[in-house]
């Protein structure tokens, strides 16, 4: 497998086997090629441009020659001159290229000594007046003679406009490709374009009688990564074992003898010993970077890695955290690991130990764990668990940790608590409760993994997390446990105890704990924790009625997610909803569409209570976009009923009751609204928010005196949140206006504006019926609140609710889509036709329409149908 030289030797001598003709003499293929549309498109564009060179690079077996032959036969209309470089010394590349042309120009006069550069000049002159021509030079990686390469470079630099050159090579021949690139005359086609896509893999497999389902096809795609030769080998292996597909697929991952033979012959056989040692060592981790490679194989790693990359060796490279990370092709890595286990078994434990140490030193416990577990006897697992167990839970990789914990005693309370913590992070309520109970009742280990104070802190944090999931954190206080000195554990406790305090109604102390989690997570780069802690801080502000602070903190959480490249993650979704909710309350535009929430399921009982709250909030925000607003409002009310039943003490549900109430009243679902108020009052008690809800329903029922009776005693000793207080004053203002008490109207409006100005609350003015119109009528009297009044006016028309129909008018309206005549409706309702016609006139007037069809369309748009 290795040569005795000290550097890579992917090169040969350099003669040319020439074939000629418009399409004759092309290499013969023993199979039907699978069309590569991406490569075809680039070749087509290059041929249509002037004097273009196409550099087609890919490792052995990636399909370079196949693509070119297929393109020539299917798409190329120009004359084709095809040359294949062979490993034979003494050849003259440019002379042999000339001999592929018809008629062949004489670029080597007898008796004259010409250099390759002279021949390039003569060949260019000979090509100046030929018909459109494509020059193909295959296996160009075998060219090593500097003079031949100089002549080829001159030819490519001065190609006539009607000539296109295609250079196929395993790696870039040593020419000044940047000059062609800067001149706009170079088209590159590489391994990504040549790789077979899943549909092309399926086509190739079908040629061998292998028709796989999607899961089986995904296995082949993941193993081969579309490397054409390996896909064809896989097809042959699968077709030979058609009756036992699972076994055949499993055998491919080993890899098979056919794959191993191909990899050795085409990639590994000629490698020098130091390079092979580099491959065997760096294949142990799934991914490696240069510093790790230097730690594993020494200071020569940089040179070897550079040579591999230059030689287009099948390495995939990505940038992450300011470092370039490299991964081998899966089947190549499988072969290298098998070779290392067979030829160097005594070295593997030390290699795993060093890789694990490197990853842990780089604060990357997830990748380190597999190497910890790979070492015989797993001596490093307990120290790893102490140092990194909680970190893996916080980073969302706790499930991988659970695999390693199978090697530890289940009698250890800390281990059982970690299992519960993983379930909490996954939002799995049932598993979290079971594991937590097991931790409380199970026997303790004789040799505990961590100090007792660590167990106490983790127990407090996990118990708080479970209480939040089920919506019952108000049943007890959740102060922070004593500091343990283990930073990740202290951060975890601060996050979960703080969130439990917030949802339990202890907002100030909970927000203080959450701030501890923010500080620590930002210091050590725990992105997920930082996002969640900032989101919790925003939620605390919202529950305290500080809407402006809610929106500002939610935006900071979103910025934090973008900083950690987690903007599209499930952790960032609640922050985006809270930011939109704050904007909604302030009458501002917000992001649409809102993101999906984590852990949502058809069975709401398995969804964490806070997520259910945010889901209802999302429904409120998207109500205006619902195709059927009436159904949307009723569905939200049902969600809220179930949340009240399942989590009656969850803080913040009362505000959602009033949000959903206004939507129900907007579509005139008064019965549903009454049921919601009755249910919420029975669960939450007669809170100020419930009093506001009761007064809102009374106003819709045209009972303004009841509004004053309900609210005025409470307003004398206000215990409202800012939103509820603004709403209460607006309800009083509208009720007073209907009762013709102008002084009370002015006083109530001024109070509402004064309470709303600090948080720039606009939504209450849009929710309370007639409030925006009332403000538009008398707003000039309150000049100090002009900006807020203007914002309300700007939204008044866009968010106006449905006109107020009487109960009988609603019954008549909902009969209209049936096609019944006025007489039929009258008979059905037991009233006269004239009565129905009177109701129809009232409906048309309130909906501002003139006909039945218009009334139906408008009613549907408003959510009345």
């Amino acid at each position: 497998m290795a040569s005795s030289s000290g550097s890579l030797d992917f090169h040969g001598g350099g003669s040319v086997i020439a074939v000629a003709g418009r399409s004759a003499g092309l290499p013969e293929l023993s199979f039907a090629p699978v069309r590569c549309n991406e490569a075809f498109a680039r070749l087509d564009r290059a041929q249509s441009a002037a004097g273009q060179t196409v550099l087609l690079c890919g490792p052995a077996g990636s399909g370079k020659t196949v693509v070119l032959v297929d393109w020539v036969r299917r798409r190329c209309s120009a004359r084709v001159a095809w040359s294949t470089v062979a490993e034979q010394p003494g050849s003259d590349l440019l002379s042999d290229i000339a001999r592929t042309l018809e008629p062949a120009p004489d670029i080597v006069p007898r008796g004259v000594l010409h250099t390759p550069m002279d021949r390039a000049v003569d060949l260019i002159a000979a090509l100046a007046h030929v018909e459109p021509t494509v020059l193909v030079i295959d296996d160009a990686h075998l060219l090593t003679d500097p003079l031949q390469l100089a002549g080829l470079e001159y030819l490519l630099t001065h190609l006539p406009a009607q000539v296109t050159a295609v250079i196929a090579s395993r790696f870039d021949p040593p020419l000044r490709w940047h000059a062609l690139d800067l001149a706009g005359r170079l088209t590159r086609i590489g391994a990504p374009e040549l790789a077979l896509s899943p549909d092309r893999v399926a086509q190739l497999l079908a040629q061998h009688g292998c028709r796989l389902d999607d899961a089986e096809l995904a296995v082949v795609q993941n193993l081969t990564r579309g490397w054409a030769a390996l896909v064809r080998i896989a097809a042959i292996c699968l077709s030979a074992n058609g009756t036992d597909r699972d076994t055949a697929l499993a055998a491919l991952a080993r890899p098979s003898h056919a794959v191993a033979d191909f990899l050795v012959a085409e990639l590994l056989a000629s490698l020098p010993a130091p390079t092979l040692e580099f491959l065997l060592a760096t294949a142990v981790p799934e991914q490696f970077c240069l510093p790790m490679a230097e730690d594993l194989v020494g200071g020569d790693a940089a040179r070897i890695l550079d040579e591999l990359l230059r030689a287009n060796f099948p390495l995939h490279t990505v940038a992450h955290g300011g470092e370039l990370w490299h991964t081998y092709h899966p089947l190549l890595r499988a072969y290298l690991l098998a070779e290392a286990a067979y030829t160097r078994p005594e070295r593997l434990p030390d290699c795993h130990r060093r890789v694990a140490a490197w990853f842990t030193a780089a604060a990357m416990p997830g990748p380190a764990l597999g190497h910890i577990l790979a070492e015989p006897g797993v001596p490093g697992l307990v120290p790893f668990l102490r140092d990194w167990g909680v970190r893996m839970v916080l980073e969302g990789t706790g499930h991988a940790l659970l695999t390693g914990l199978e090697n530890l005693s289940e009698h250890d309370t800390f281990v059982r608590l970690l299992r519960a913590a993983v379930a909490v992070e996954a939002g799995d309520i049932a598993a979290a409760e079971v594991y937590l109970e097991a931790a409380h009742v199970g026997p303790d280990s004789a040799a505990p993994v961590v100090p007792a104070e660590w167990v106490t802190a983790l127990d407090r944090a996990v118990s708080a997390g479970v209480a939040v999931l089920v919506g019952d954190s108000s049943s007890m206080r959740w102060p922070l446990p004593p500091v343990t000195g283990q930073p990740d554990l202290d951060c975890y406790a601060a996050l979960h105890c703080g969130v439990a305090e917030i949802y339990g109604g202890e907002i100030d102390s909970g927000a203080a704990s959450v701030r501890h989690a923010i500080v620590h997570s930002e210091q050590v780069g725990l992105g997920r924790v930082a996002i969640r802690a900032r989101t919790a801080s925003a939620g605390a502000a919202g529950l305290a009625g500080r809407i402006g602070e809610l929106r500002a903190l939610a935006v900071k959480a979103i910025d934090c997610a973008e900083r950690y490249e987690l903007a599209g993650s499930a952790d960032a979704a609640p922050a985006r909803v809270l930011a939109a909710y704050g904007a909604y309350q302030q009458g501002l535009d917000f992001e649409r569409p809102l993101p999906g929430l984590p852990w949502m399921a058809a069975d709401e009982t398995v969804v964490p209570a806070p997520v259910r709250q945010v889901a209802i909030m999302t429904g409120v925000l998207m109500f205006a976009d619902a195709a059927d607003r009436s159904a949307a409002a009723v569905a939200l009310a049902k969600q809220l009923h179930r949340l009240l039943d399942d989590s009656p003490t969850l803080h913040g549900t009362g505000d959602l009751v009033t949000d959903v109430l206004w939507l129900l009243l907007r579509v005139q679902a008064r019965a549903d609204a009454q049921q919601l108020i009755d249910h919420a009052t029975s669960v939450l008690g007669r809170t100020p928010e419930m009093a506001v809800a009761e007064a809102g329903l009374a106003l819709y029922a045209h009972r303004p005196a009841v509004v004053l009776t309900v609210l005025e005693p409470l307003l004398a000793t206000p215990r409202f949140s800012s939103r509820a207080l603004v709403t209460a004053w607006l309800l009083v203002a509208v009720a007073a206006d209907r009762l013709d008490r102008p002084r009370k109207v002015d006083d109530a409006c001024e109070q509402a504006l004064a309470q709303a100005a600090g948080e720039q609350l606009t939504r209450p003015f849009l929710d309370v019926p007639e409030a925006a119109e009332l403000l538009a009528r008398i707003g000039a009297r309150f000049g100090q609140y002009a900006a807020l009044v203007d914002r309300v006016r700007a939204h008044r028309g866009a968010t106006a609710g449905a006109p107020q129909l009487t109960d009988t008018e609603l019954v008549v309206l909902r009969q209209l889509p049936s096609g019944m005549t006025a007489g039929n409706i009258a008979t059905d309702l037991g009233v006269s036709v004239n009565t129905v016609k009177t109701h129809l006139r009232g409906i048309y007037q309130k909906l501002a329409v003139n006909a039945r069809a218009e009334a139906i369309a408008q009613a549907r748009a408003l959510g009345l149908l």
Side-chain angles (χ1 to χ4, degrees), residues 573-581 584 590-598 600 610-626 632 636 639 656 659-660 663:
R576 294 189 179 279
V577 175
L578 288 181
Y581 188 72
Y584 171 83
F590 55 87
E591 172 193 33
R592 284 186 172 87
L594 292 172
L597 296 172
M600 290 302 296
V611 177
R612 294 169 68 176
Q613 272 192 342
V614 177
I616 295 171
M617 198 177 294
T618 301
V620 171
L621 294 173
M622 300 308 296
F623 173 79
D625 298 331
L636 285 172
Q639 285 180 259
L656 291 177
D659 284 330
V660 174
L663 302 185

Side-chain angles (χ1 to χ4, degrees), residues 53-297:
T53 294
V54 179
L55 178 58
L56 185 95
C57 274
S62 58
K64 302 179 294 296
T65 301
V66 174
V67 166
L68 286 177
V69 170
D70 195 28
W71 177 72
V72 167
R73 289 177 175 167
R74 291 179 188 260
R75 304 284 284 269
C76 182
S77 59
R79 178 173 65 166
V80 177
W82 187 293
S83 298
T84 301
V85 179
E87 295 184 86
Q88 297 176 3
S91 68
D92 185 341
L93 172 65
L94 296 174
S95 296
D96 289 343
I97 290 175
R99 283 192 289 273
T100 66
L101 300 173
E102 292 182 353
D106 184 8
I107 66 170
V108 187
R110 293 180 182 276
V112 179
L113 180 62
H114 267 44
T115 67
M117 188 68 73
D118 297 328
R119 295 187 184 95
V121 173
D122 293 340
L123 182 56
I124 291 167
L127 292 170
H129 303 292
V130 299
E131 63 180 299
T133 299
V134 175
L135 295 177
V136 178
I137 302 175
D138 200 6
D139 287 344
H141 55 276
L142 298 175
L143 291 170
T144 58
D145 182 2
L147 293 178
Q148 299 287 342
L149 289 167
L152 176 60
E153 181 177 289
Y154 188 85
L155 170 65
L156 300 180
T157 305
H158 297 85
L159 272 181
Q162 74 276 22
V163 178
T164 303
V166 181
I167 311 298
S169 178
R170 292 188 182 180
F171 50 85
D172 293 10
L175 307 181
R176 291 181 295 176
W177 296 107
H178 67 278
L180 284 174
D181 209 356
L182 290 172
R185 298 180 61 189
L186 179 65
T187 298
R188 287 183 178 270
I189 301 175
E193 292 75 39
L194 294 172
L196 300 181
S197 58
D199 60 321
R200 295 173 65 211
V201 170
Q203 293 176 45
L204 192 152
L205 292 171
Q207 292 178 0
H208 294 264
C210 299
R211 302 191 181 278
L212 308 185
D213 60 32
D214 290 344
E216 294 168 335
L217 183 61
V219 171
V220 175
Q221 182 72 28
N222 289 334
L223 286 174
T224 64
R225 299 286 172 88
W227 194 343
L230 295 180
V231 174
R232 197 165 292 279
I233 291 173
I236 294 170
C237 295
L238 290 171
S239 63
N241 296 275
T243 58
D244 191 356
R245 187 70 54 74
D246 291 340
T247 300
L249 288 170
L252 282 176
R254 283 205 299 262
S256 66
H257 290 301
V259 171
D261 291 344
F262 169 78
L263 295 173
V264 171
E266 299 295 344
L267 291 177
L268 305 174
S270 62
L271 295 181
T275 301
L276 181 59
E277 291 296 330
F278 176 94
L279 296 177
L280 293 175
T282 54
V284 171
E286 288 189 11
Q287 57 178 348
F288 69 93
C289 59
L290 179 56
M292 183 193 295
E294 290 174 333
D295 188 57
L296 292 174
V297 301

Side-chain angles (χ1 to χ4, degrees), residues 228-532:
L230 295 180
V231 174
R232 197 165 292 279
I233 291 173
I236 294 170
C237 295
L238 290 171
S239 63
N241 296 275
T243 58
D244 191 356
R245 187 70 54 74
D246 291 340
T247 300
L249 288 170
L252 282 176
R254 283 205 299 262
S256 66
H257 290 301
V259 171
D261 291 344
F262 169 78
L263 295 173
V264 171
E266 299 295 344
L267 291 177
L268 305 174
S270 62
L271 295 181
T275 301
L276 181 59
E277 291 296 330
F278 176 94
L279 296 177
L280 293 175
T282 54
V284 171
E286 288 189 11
Q287 57 178 348
F288 69 93
C289 59
L290 179 56
M292 183 193 295
E294 290 174 333
D295 188 57
L296 292 174
V297 301
D300 211 26
R303 176 189 62 79
I304 296 174
L305 179 59
D306 183 63
E307 288 181 347
L308 289 170
L309 293 173
R310 286 178 178 273
N312 211 23
F313 198 77
L315 280 166
H316 179 62
T317 302
V318 296
H320 179 68
E323 191 73 69
L324 291 178
W325 289 88
H326 311 281
T327 54
Y328 293 111
H329 187 281
L331 288 178
L332 173 59
R333 179 171 180 257
Y335 172 80
L336 293 172
L337 289 175
E339 181 73 7
Y342 180 72
T343 61
R344 300 157 175 81
E346 72 286 350
R347 300 185 191 177
L348 278 179
D350 179 66
C351 194
H352 280 298
R353 190 180 308 114
R354 294 169 70 181
V355 171
W358 195 95
F359 276 126
T360 53
M364 301 173 67
L369 179 61
H371 300 283
I372 296 284
L373 299 176
E375 191 176 352
V378 202
L381 184 54
V382 169
F384 176 85
L385 185 63
R386 284 198 298 262
D387 294 339
W388 299 102
V390 177
R391 173 68 64 93
M392 291 190 68
V393 172
L394 289 171
E395 289 184 338
T397 55
H399 284 94
L401 178 67
L402 295 184
T403 302
L405 296 186
E406 294 174 0
N407 294 279
L408 287 180
S409 170
E410 286 297 317
H411 296 309
D412 190 273
T413 304
F414 189 74
V415 172
R416 294 196 296 265
L417 286 171
L418 278 179
R419 291 189 179 279
V422 171
V424 168
E425 294 305 296
D428 189 340
I429 298 173
E433 290 180 321
V434 168
Y435 286 132
L436 182 60
E437 179 66 19
H440 288 162
V441 302
D444 290 331
S445 171
V449 171
V450 299
E453 58 268 24
W454 290 26
V455 175
T456 300
L458 185 58
D459 190 0
R460 176 80 58 82
V462 173
S463 299
V466 172
V468 169
L469 291 183
V470 300
D472 188 32
S473 63
S474 64
S475 59
M476 60 182 293
R477 291 292 306 274
W478 301 99
L480 290 181
V483 174
T484 66
Q486 211 288 355
D488 294 337
L489 178 54
D490 292 335
C491 179
Y492 185 76
L495 174 65
H496 281 284
C497 290
V499 172
E501 290 268 271
I502 290 169
Y503 279 109
E506 302 294 335
I507 296 174
D508 292 338
S509 61
S513 295
V514 164
R515 284 194 290 272
H516 286 293
I518 293 174
V519 171
H520 174 75
S521 59
E522 293 279 15
Q523 285 177 341
V524 299
L526 284 169
R528 294 181 68 246
V529 179
I531 297 165
R532 293 167 59 194

Side-chain angles (χ1 to χ4, degrees), residues 828-844:
D828 192 52
L829 296 180
V831 298
S832 69
V833 174
N834 288 335
T835 299
V836 171
K837 290 181 178 179
T838 299
H839 289 317
L840 286 174
R841 285 195 296 271
I843 292 169
Y844 292 171

